[in-house]
Amino acid sequence: MIRRTLLILATLFAILLASGVALMSGGRLAHTINWVLPTDWKVEIPQGFHTDWRGTSLAHFSLSYQQCPILMTEGFKLQWAEQQRIQFEKAIIDYHCLSMLPKEENSTSSEFSLSELLPLLPNGTANIQQLIWKNLPADLPHRANALLLQPTSVKVAKIEQQLTASIHNQAVRLSAQFAKGELTGDLHYSPSDEEQHQLNFSTQIQDLTQLPAVLSIQYRWQLPDDVITDKALQQGSSQLEWQKESSHLLGSFKLQSTNFPENKLAFPFRIENGSLAIEQGRFDWVMSEDFPLRGFLTTQISPNELNIENLFPIKTAIRISLLSENAKGKGNVVISSPEGELQKTSLKLPLQITGNVKQGNFILYSAVPMELNGEYQDLTLRFLPSALLRLTGTERFLTIHDLRFPLAGLQLNKYGLTGRLHAIFRGESPDFKNIELHLDGFARNFKMGALQVFQDPDEPDAIIDRWQWKLWGTSQLNAFKTPLNIAGRGNWHRNLVELSEFNSTLGKIQQNGVLIPHLTLNLTEPIKFAYEQFHLNGGVKLIAPKAQFSYGGELEKLSATLNVEGEVENLRLKGEVSAGKLGPIRLFARRQLTEKSSELIGRLYWSEQPANVFQPLLPFRSNWVITNGTIRGETAFSATADKGLIAGGHFAIRNGAVSLPDGELKGIEFSLPYQYQHKQVNIGAKRALDVSIAEINIGIPLTNAKMKVQGHYPYTKKRPLFLRELSFNLLGGNLHIERFALPQTKIAYVKLTGIDFAEVLSLAQYHQLDLQGRANAVLPFWLSGKPCYICDGNVTQVAPSHLKFSPELLDAMKQSGYTEQILTYLVNDSHIDELQAKINLSTEGNMHLKTALKMHLSEHQKAKINLNYQHQENLFDLWKLINYGSQVEQNIEHSIYQQLDKR
């Protein structure tokens, strides 16, 4: 139809010229022209020609097709004097009317030569000062629309055997020349100061229906950020060249980035018998810092015929070799399609991907047969049997030993992925090792996170972008070296991965003196992972039957509820912990993840509670029973796999009471600052622990006990536990120990002051003696009894004391021998002026007492008596004897407390 339209225009101008010469009126001229023109074509000439000796002019005329004005002109002038010239002041083309023209009929002519056409053209110029388009379609690209709306100047000139043309408007400058069969030209397009395009071309043209024998095109560009953000593509150059050799064309296409010269393409090609073949075309392009794209392209494209009407089907054969390299070596993956076919509206492309890609920290292994076919607007990629992708490497803090994607049966189209989608993961992380995880489910229009690439289905009830799966697997928790089993269900929808059901069981946890038989974990609310922000939130509950401590205590019915929120590397945790009646203890923590470790940092707070809720924590629970008091405290802690548990804080006991099998403690008060690290408790790290106990009853009544405790437990020689300023009231006096350490490496000293003799005799149940007075003592001692419990202790009386025998003892002594009677007489009712005693207590409990007494009788003041006395007795046996009655009473009371505790 283009040829026919040009023929009509040529006929029109020929008639116009002839009519101008004949000086016909506008109406008669239009009638004449319309009689000659084909059906549906019509010309309108409102006014006639104005002619003089230099030329002729016509103010207006229009050309219509099916009553639609295709072309309207103003200011037409034809000059034949001096130089032949045709000029239009304005020409308006209606795009809508132009689109009504019928399609080009099939042409039987195979040649259309510019060289043959050029001699037929007269010498002269043709000029359109303003070429304007109107009624442009709404779907026309924005740039083309803006370009056509601008008034454009067009000029064509023929001088001898040279034809020149130029087109100018605000954004475009085109100049071209054709002479001796060679067409050259320059095109400059600049829609803004920041965007520039320059095209230079040169070619030899004989037949417009055939490819030129020689072609050279150079193109340079500069693009701003609002057009393209990739710096590599913002500025560059390309070159297309070929020349004819024998029966084929040999050429090359090259492209290079100006900003990054290492980014370039070089495709040598061959055109023969209508087929385009590229042999070992090379591409090197750094898509990103982590993804350099390098490789070779070999392809052959064979259209049916080299004309638009019979171009299809186009046969294709493609082989792309992608090269990659990382610290683990070089990789090569081949994408091949030996027998593809392109139709005008559809394609069928069998594909095979094999090999491996080594990129960054990853190696991707591929063996993927697939098929791409369908309409161009609705292509479908089908994965065939045995299709498999495997990945190894590291991602952030995750080590991937093997990640498998069986792909057989999946279909990928413009809406996403559909079919059974299965993933198998084996690897490890700072938190877990020996991870084996299975995800298996069904994907429906699943976009895989590429929300901008895929469309939503048009059907209102269609499932949009969802992969629903179940998961199961095993692992080992690094922090506790315990096995882990997990199972659950979830889905991936748009940019959110949600775990809706989850059950996990951990095996035996044993670390730092703590043993938990097993632990289960369940969800209290779904876990949601926004992977673009790497953000996690949800709620879990952990349950364990009990926790046993190596020192003998335990906690029963452990339960913890936790809410997690934040980035995966810096999770925030908030919740409550309880164990039986203990709690709830409030927990605030965060988990910090680095490349090599995972650290949990937090604080525990528990409000004041009855002390007996901590009863299970006491060692030897069957022997100690908490009967009174309250406890409160707080703890800061951190836990890592390599450093274990580190904790610090304090807890306080008020008015505590403990029942023992052979005694009791009442009025216990202390506030304990501590640190825990390397399986040791550091008590009183900054200041000593002050302990006070109002009453201790272990056979000997002790009251107002006070001490300062500081050091480590369990204690060692390098890290001892110190007891300082230990004192309490006993036997009418006071006991004081300035300092001793556990384990004891130096002898310590017990200082007794004001001990009442009468209370000592009462404790020993010596009722036959009445000794009134008080004594002081310094007793060096070893707590272990090695080499002795008391070593050379000294006892002295505070002031003169009085000794008197009971009548029963005196009557009994009368039955004794003469010596015993004299001794009884001398000692009874005497005043002891001076008392010096040495005492030793052996490892076996044997006491050896050696005493020197200076006395006088009450009735004979001047009678002085010196008495040396020695006594030996096993104090362990004596203690059992004198404490028997009290112990029976205490055992009964303790048994009652035990029964109450069990309730």
Side-chain angles (χ1 to χ4, degrees):
M1 192 63 199
I2 294 177
R3 293 183 184 179
R4 185 174 181 182
T5 304
L6 291 175
L7 180 61
I8 291 172
L9 289 174
T11 304
L12 172 62
F13 284 117
I15 295 175
L16 286 174
L17 293 175
S19 301
V21 174
L23 300 177
M24 296 177 66
S25 66
R28 294 177 58 193
L29 177 60
H31 179 75
T32 302
I33 294 173
N34 291 332
W35 182 76
V36 176
L37 291 178
T39 306
D40 294 331
W41 290 87
K42 181 180 180 182
V43 67
E44 292 182 5
I45 304 176
Q47 301 175 5
F49 283 93
H50 175 72
T51 305
D52 57 26
W53 67 273
R54 290 174 297 180
T56 185
S57 63
L58 185 63
H60 302 279
F61 81 85
S62 64
L63 176 65
S64 300
Y65 177 75
Q66 293 184 353
Q67 306 300 319
C68 188
I70 292 178
L71 175 66
M72 294 177 289
T73 69
E74 297 179 7
F76 168 73
K77 293 181 180 180
L78 173 63
Q79 176 180 312
W80 51 67
E82 298 179 357
Q83 182 181 5
Q84 299 183 68
R85 181 171 63 182
I86 297 175
Q87 177 177 318
F88 294 91
E89 292 182 2
K90 182 183 293 186
I92 302 173
I93 300 176
D94 192 313
Y95 187 96
H96 172 68
C97 298
L98 192 64
S99 65
M100 296 172 59
L101 295 177
K103 295 182 179 180
E104 186 75 35
E105 299 90 349
N106 292 336
S107 176
T108 57
S109 176
S110 60
E111 296 186 358
F112 181 49
S113 172
L114 280 179
S115 298
E116 295 177 359
L117 178 64
L118 190 60
L120 302 178
L121 297 176
N123 290 332
T125 62
N127 184 21
I128 303 176
Q129 294 181 356
Q130 291 188 27
L131 175 63
I132 299 173
W133 293 76
K134 71 175 186 178
N135 291 330
L136 296 174
D139 59 352
L140 194 67
H142 172 72
R143 285 174 173 265
N145 186 77
L147 193 63
L148 294 177
L149 286 177
Q150 296 178 13
T152 302
S153 170
V154 180
K155 184 177 181 181
V156 179
K158 162 73 182 336
I159 300 176
E160 299 302 332
Q161 295 301 312
Q162 180 175 343
L163 181 67
T164 63
S166 64
I167 298 175
H168 296 275
N169 66 16
Q170 186 175 352
V172 172
R173 300 193 318 273
L174 170 64
S175 60
Q177 302 84 34
F178 180 74
K180 298 180 180 180
E182 183 176 359
L183 175 65
T184 61
D186 299 290
L187 171 64
H188 296 267
Y189 172 51
S190 179
S192 67
D193 293 338
E194 294 78 19
E195 183 176 353
Q196 304 288 332
H197 301 265
Q198 182 175 349
L199 182 71
N200 307 103
F201 58 89
S202 173
T203 183
Q204 293 180 2
I205 298 178
Q206 297 297 328
D207 184 0
L208 292 180
T209 63
Q210 300 292 327
L211 291 174
V214 178
L215 175 70
S216 176
I217 299 175
Q218 287 83 33
Y219 169 56
R220 291 178 293 276
W221 74 88
Q222 177 181 318
L223 303 173
D225 289 338
D226 58 352
V227 174
I228 188 167
T229 57
D230 189 345
K231 298 295 183 182
L233 292 174
Q234 284 185 346
Q235 192 170 356
S237 62
S238 64
Q239 180 179 350
L240 175 64
E241 293 181 337
W242 74 61
Q243 63 182 5
K244 189 171 184 179
E245 293 188 7
S246 185
S247 61
H248 57 267
L249 298 176
L250 290 180
S252 67
F253 172 74
K254 298 178 180 179
L255 183 146
Q256 187 171 24
S257 168
T258 302
N259 294 332
F260 301 93
E262 65 274 14
N263 289 358
K264 55 189 176 181
L265 310 177
F267 293 159
F269 61 83
R270 177 190 185 100
I271 301 176
E272 184 175 13
N273 298 326
S275 295
L276 170 65
I278 298 174
E279 292 288 344
Q280 290 294 96
R282 178 68 187 257
F283 52 89
D284 293 270
W285 206 273
V286 180
M287 306 298 291
S288 68
E289 292 183 2
D290 298 327
F291 187 42
L293 189 63
R294 296 185 175 92
F296 297 92
L297 169 67
T298 297
T299 184
Q300 181 165 340
I301 302 174
S302 303
N304 184 48
E305 292 182 14
L306 280 180
N307 62 71
I308 298 299
E309 290 78 10
N310 299 311
L311 186 66
F312 297 97
I314 300 175
K315 302 292 184 180
T316 64
I318 302 171
R319 188 180 191 274
I320 301 173
S321 179
L322 295 176
L323 306 178
S324 59
E325 184 175 1
N326 64 8
K328 298 180 180 180
K330 296 182 178 180
N332 181 25
V333 63
V334 175
I335 304 171
S336 61
S337 174
E339 297 179 351
E341 182 177 287
L342 306 181
Q343 296 288 351
K344 187 174 183 179
T345 60
S346 65
L347 62 80
K348 184 177 181 181
L349 207 62
L351 291 167
Q352 175 78 34
I353 302 177
T354 55
N356 63 79
V357 177
K358 295 180 179 179
Q359 182 60 47
N361 297 321
F362 297 100
I363 302 177
L364 176 66
Y365 302 91
S366 60
V368 185
M370 51 190 175
E371 186 178 73
L372 178 66
N373 54 32
E375 302 290 327
Y376 290 122
Q377 300 300 319
D378 192 16
L379 292 173
T380 298
L381 180 65
R382 292 180 173 85
F383 294 90
L384 304 178
S386 78
L388 175 67
L389 284 178
R390 289 181 57 239
L391 183 73
T392 65
T394 58
E395 169 62 20
R396 299 173 79 100
F397 310 124
L398 185 67
T399 299
I400 303 170
H401 296 319
D402 187 16
L403 177 59
R404 293 172 176 257
F405 293 98
L407 302 176
L410 284 168
Q411 295 186 16
L412 182 67
N413 58 22
K414 63 182 178 181
Y415 305 121
L417 196 65
T418 299
R420 183 192 176 192
L421 184 55
H422 185 198
I424 306 168
F425 171 78
R426 295 180 179 91
E428 58 186 75
S429 74
D431 289 328
F432 303 94
K433 72 176 184 178
N434 299 329
I435 304 171
E436 181 169 333
L437 183 64
H438 296 253
L439 283 171
D440 193 0
F442 201 85
R444 293 177 175 84
N445 301 318
F446 178 46
K447 298 181 180 179
M448 301 169 288
L451 305 183
Q452 306 302 320
V453 175
F454 297 98
Q455 307 174 20
D456 288 340
D458 298 328
E459 298 81 358
D461 56 346
I463 296 176
I464 301 175
D465 187 14
R466 189 175 297 275
W467 176 27
Q468 292 177 305
W469 37 260
K470 60 181 179 179
L471 80 158
W472 68 94
T474 59
S475 181
Q476 179 172 309
L477 192 60
N478 284 338
F480 304 117
K481 297 180 176 59
T482 184
L484 170 70
N485 294 292
I486 63 172
R489 294 180 181 273
N491 69 88
W492 183 346
H493 178 60
R494 296 196 181 277
N495 55 4
L496 189 68
V497 181
E498 179 176 321
L499 185 62
S500 55
E501 298 178 20
F502 186 76
N503 297 291
S504 176
T505 303
L506 282 81
K508 182 173 68 174
I509 300 173
Q510 188 167 8
Q511 190 180 45
N512 296 331
V514 179
L515 171 63
I516 299 176
H518 64 270
L519 187 145
T520 60
L521 184 147
N522 300 293
L523 295 184
T524 57
E525 59 181 84
I527 301 289
K528 298 179 180 180
F529 177 48
Y531 57 86
E532 290 181 344
Q533 296 79 26
F534 230 58
H535 188 275
L536 192 71
N537 66 76
V540 298
K541 184 174 184 179
L542 293 92
I543 300 173
K546 62 181 177 180
Q548 297 172 308
F549 301 94
S550 58
Y551 67 84
E554 68 177 32
L555 290 173
E556 294 185 343
K557 298 179 181 178
L558 284 168
S559 175
T561 57
L562 296 175
N563 289 321
V564 296
E565 192 270 334
E567 293 185 0
V568 172
E569 289 96 338
N570 193 16
L571 276 179
R572 296 181 294 276
L573 297 91
K574 179 181 178 182
E576 292 183 343
V577 180
S578 61
K581 297 178 182 179
L582 190 154
I585 299 172
R586 291 176 295 148
L587 168 67
F588 300 90
R590 70 180 186 275
R591 197 284 301 271
Q592 292 181 329
L593 189 65
T594 63
E595 186 174 353
K596 296 183 179 179
S597 67
S598 173
E599 184 176 17
L600 183 65
I601 303 171
R603 299 188 73 89
L604 291 168
Y605 300 89
W606 61 90
S607 304
E608 194 166 58
Q609 291 182 271
N612 59 7
V613 301
F614 285 84
Q615 176 68 49
L617 286 175
L618 290 179
F620 314 112
R621 183 181 176 186
S622 60
N623 296 326
W624 292 31
V625 179
I626 300 174
T627 60
N628 195 39
T630 60
I631 297 181
R632 60 179 175 82
E634 65 178 77
T635 292
F637 66 89
S638 68
T640 62
D642 55 342
K643 296 181 181 178
L645 177 65
I646 300 174
H650 75 274
F651 68 90
I653 295 179
R654 293 194 308 137
N655 196 27
V658 177
S659 172
L660 310 176
D662 53 359
E664 61 180 341
L665 287 71
K666 295 182 179 180
I668 303 171
E669 301 271 349
F670 65 82
S671 179
L672 171 62
Y674 75 95
Q675 291 181 353
Y676 178 83
Q677 189 174 5
H678 305 307
K679 302 182 182 181
Q680 277 194 329
V681 178
N682 185 359
I683 299 172
K686 295 183 179 180
R687 73 180 168 83
L689 165 65
D690 290 315
V691 180
S692 66
I693 303 175
E695 197 176 325
I696 303 174
N697 185 5
I698 53 173
I700 302 176
L702 308 176
T703 60
N704 196 27
K706 297 181 182 297
M707 73 181 77
K708 294 182 181 295
V709 182
Q710 194 169 25
H712 298 82
Y713 185 85
Y715 44 78
T716 63
K717 287 185 178 181
K718 291 184 177 180
R719 296 176 178 269
L721 178 65
F722 295 102
L723 278 71
R724 297 184 177 93
E725 301 178 23
L726 170 63
S727 67
F728 48 80
N729 299 331
L730 80 163
L731 301 176
N734 179 262
L735 179 147
H736 180 81
I737 301 175
E738 183 62 27
R739 170 191 175 107
F740 78 95
L742 297 174
Q744 190 178 359
T745 58
K746 296 180 180 180
I747 198 164
Y749 296 90
V750 175
K751 295 181 180 180
L752 299 172
T753 57
I755 300 300
D756 191 334
F757 288 137
E759 293 199 20
V760 174
L761 293 176
S762 176
L763 175 66
Q765 300 181 15
Y766 287 165
H767 303 300
Q768 295 87 353
L769 299 178
D770 180 12
L771 179 60
Q772 302 294 324
R774 294 181 181 273
N776 295 336
V778 177
L779 307 177
F781 77 94
W782 290 94
L783 196 64
S784 64
K786 296 178 181 180
C788 51
Y789 284 107
I790 298 176
C791 306
D792 295 328
N794 289 311
V795 180
T796 59
Q797 66 178 7
V798 178
S801 54
H802 179 256
L803 175 61
K804 188 175 182 180
F805 296 155
S806 67
E808 293 79 10
L809 179 60
L810 290 175
D811 290 342
M813 294 302 293
K814 290 178 182 180
Q815 306 300 321
S816 301
Y818 181 73
T819 303
E820 287 81 0
Q821 293 183 30
I822 293 175
L823 181 60
T824 301
Y825 173 75
L826 291 175
V827 175
N828 183 40
D829 197 16
S830 63
H831 293 273
I832 303 172
D833 299 314
E834 186 177 338
L835 184 150
Q836 293 287 340
K838 288 286 186 180
I839 184 170
N840 286 277
L841 182 62
S842 71
T843 303
E844 294 78 18
N846 296 319
M847 180 193 70
H848 183 250
L849 178 65
K850 185 177 181 180
T851 307
L853 302 173
K854 292 183 179 181
M855 315 165 61
H856 69 269
L857 298 176
S858 297
E859 295 180 356
H860 306 283
Q861 297 290 331
K862 294 181 180 182
K864 302 297 183 179
I865 302 171
N866 293 328
L867 179 63
N868 294 317
Y869 172 73
Q870 293 188 46
H871 181 78
Q872 291 186 5
E873 188 165 3
N874 189 287
L875 284 189
F876 294 168
D877 295 338
L878 178 62
W879 181 258
K880 293 177 183 178
L881 179 63
I882 64 178
N883 197 39
Y884 178 76
S886 176
Q887 191 172 9
V888 171
E889 178 183 350
Q890 290 164 358
N891 281 339
I892 294 173
E893 182 179 356
H894 179 71
S895 178
I896 294 173
Y897 280 131
Q898 283 184 311
Q899 296 301 319
L900 292 173
D901 178 54
K902 292 178 181 179
R903 290 189 306 172

